[in-house]
Amino acid sequence: MTAEVVDVRPAEASDAAQLLTLLMQLAAESNTFTIDDGLGELSEADERSQIEQITRTTTNTIFVAALGNELIGVGTVQATDDLIKQQGEVGVAVLKKYWGQGLGTALVEEVIHWAQDFSTLSQLVLTVQLRNQRATKLYQHLGFKQVTPASYNVIDPTGKKVAAIDMVLDV
């Protein structure tokens, strides 16, 4: 990366329009990143409202990586339906032109820090496609452990079956 500084910070309501654009671009660039159905129909006002609601919880968060005024990456935690385990599902993505520059690591580290110091979650969970070796190594390096005994198939955004594993980090 050049001398420019990337800021990793919690998303703000004022990021709504850029965040929607970023998420759509990430979904178009990557076959390992999926977005929620209906994201394309969300208005900027809807996204602004969602960001405001998320920032008031202790079980969900959104972090963004910003280079100047441009959002170039996102890290999220979304509470799962498993109230007993108090789990949050992690999602991380960075624009392709910024891959390999440590932004994914910075986003995951911020998510872990938030989970340990500010959330009411006891675990972070994620599913990683095995073809995404960089991500698998990153999660292992940061303490995530494989919880599925063997890989299983998931359907990627293009409709292709790919091998994946589930990982967990106790926080």
Side-chain angles (χ1 to χ4, degrees):
M1 192 175 306
T2 64
E4 297 174 283
V5 176
V6 174
D7 182 28
V8 176
R9 60 173 173 75
E12 301 167 356
S14 60
D15 294 322
Q18 276 197 72
L19 187 55
L20 286 171
T21 300
L22 173 66
L23 292 170
M24 297 306 285
Q25 185 175 349
L26 289 166
E29 283 186 359
S30 174
N31 61 3
T32 62
F33 178 74
T34 58
I35 58 173
D36 290 337
D37 293 336
L39 182 71
E41 285 85 48
L42 273 183
S43 69
E44 180 180 341
D46 291 337
E47 182 68 6
R48 180 181 294 268
S49 176
Q50 284 191 0
I51 292 169
E52 289 171 344
Q53 289 174 15
I54 287 168
T55 60
R56 289 192 292 266
T57 74
T58 60
T59 55
N60 302 279
T61 193
I62 303 172
F63 283 91
V64 293
L67 181 59
N69 293 326
E70 178 189 9
L71 297 186
I72 61 172
V74 62
T76 63
V77 176
Q78 183 174 356
T80 67
D81 293 332
D82 192 339
L83 300 176
I84 295 169
K85 291 186 179 178
Q86 296 176 305
Q87 294 178 326
E89 184 173 11
V90 175
V92 175
V94 174
L95 290 176
K96 196 171 198 169
K97 74 180 192 177
Y98 298 102
W99 287 2
Q101 298 180 27
L103 295 176
T105 301
L107 285 161
V108 176
E109 287 173 342
E110 283 298 320
V111 161
I112 292 170
H113 171 69
W114 169 85
Q116 291 172 333
D117 294 345
F118 301 102
S119 83
T120 55
L121 299 171
S122 61
Q123 291 182 322
L124 294 176
V125 298
L126 57 85
T127 299
V128 63
Q129 295 176 15
L130 293 180
R131 66 183 173 186
N132 191 350
Q133 293 178 352
R134 267 191 168 149
T136 304
K137 287 179 183 176
L138 165 65
Y139 298 133
Q140 289 170 340
H141 174 75
L142 293 177
F144 283 83
K145 304 290 184 215
Q146 181 175 337
V147 293
T148 45
S151 66
Y152 61 94
N153 286 331
V154 297
I155 306 298
D156 77 2
T158 67
K160 181 180 175 185
K161 286 184 180 180
V162 295
I165 57 171
D166 293 335
M167 301 183 85
V168 66
L169 177 71
D170 291 326
V171 294

